[in-house]
Amino acid sequence: MGLQRVAVLLAALWWGGITGLSFLAVPTLFAVLGNPAVAGPVAARLFSMQCWAGIALGVLLMLVLRRQRSGLPQEASSHALAALRGLLVTMVLVALAVALAMGQEFGVAPHIVSARATGGNLRFWHSLGSVMVLGQWLLAGTILWRVSGNANRS
């Protein structure tokens, strides 16, 4: 399997995981269980698992992209420079998405737990976490779009 196909697979798993969790699993969880006090901790665990999956997929994707970068032609043609620029932009997007996942897991999630236990500003932390998930979803979708656009060239 070519590196390009591996990149597409990793990006698809990342975007698909966030999509399935955020737009299907968690809303269904709250609808079926009906009680936010019961559904909330389960949803939090699922989001934590998704953050860790996003971190792992992002690191693997970064390794694949780095390997692709080393395989680019060394001449300074306009085609080679455009390919390098596109690859570097994709790598920056991956780094941003991983940073959001880490910020959500290590920054926002503990504040949500604390706010729930102490009566703190749960709405703020939950909203910030939701924005971070949306950001990850948009970035992962953009990454998938970018890497799959090159799939037919490999």
Side-chain angles (χ1 to χ4, degrees):
M1 185 183 314
L3 285 178
Q4 188 61 40
R5 291 179 186 212
V6 173
V8 171
L9 177 63
L10 292 170
L13 287 170
W14 196 355
W15 184 77
I18 296 170
T19 301
L21 177 69
S22 300
F23 301 115
L24 185 63
V26 169
T28 301
L29 183 67
F30 278 90
V32 169
L33 295 179
N35 183 350
V38 175
V42 178
R45 181 70 182 129
L46 290 172
F47 277 116
S48 178
M49 291 168 54
Q50 180 58 49
C51 281
W52 282 107
I55 292 166
L57 290 166
V59 167
L60 290 171
L61 187 54
M62 191 67 82
L63 292 172
V64 168
L65 295 173
R66 186 169 181 252
R67 182 94 184 261
Q68 283 181 327
R69 190 182 90 189
S70 68
L72 289 176
Q74 297 302 314
E75 81 272 359
S77 70
S78 61
H79 177 69
L81 290 175
L84 178 61
R85 187 178 18 230
L87 204 52
L88 292 176
V89 167
T90 303
M91 292 172 85
V92 167
L93 295 175
V94 171
L96 289 172
V98 169
L100 279 176
M102 291 176 71
Q104 180 186 349
E105 180 66 17
F106 299 114
V108 173
H111 285 288
I112 291 173
V113 171
S114 174
R116 193 174 283 131
T118 64
N121 195 346
L122 182 61
R123 173 178 270 173
F124 170 78
W125 291 109
H126 188 272
S127 297
L128 182 58
S130 296
V131 168
M132 292 175 88
V133 170
L134 179 62
Q136 290 172 67
W137 180 72
L138 291 170
L139 285 167
T142 302
I143 293 161
L144 176 58
W145 185 268
R146 292 178 66 83
V147 298
S148 65
N150 296 326
N152 55 0
R153 293 184 216 154
S154 297

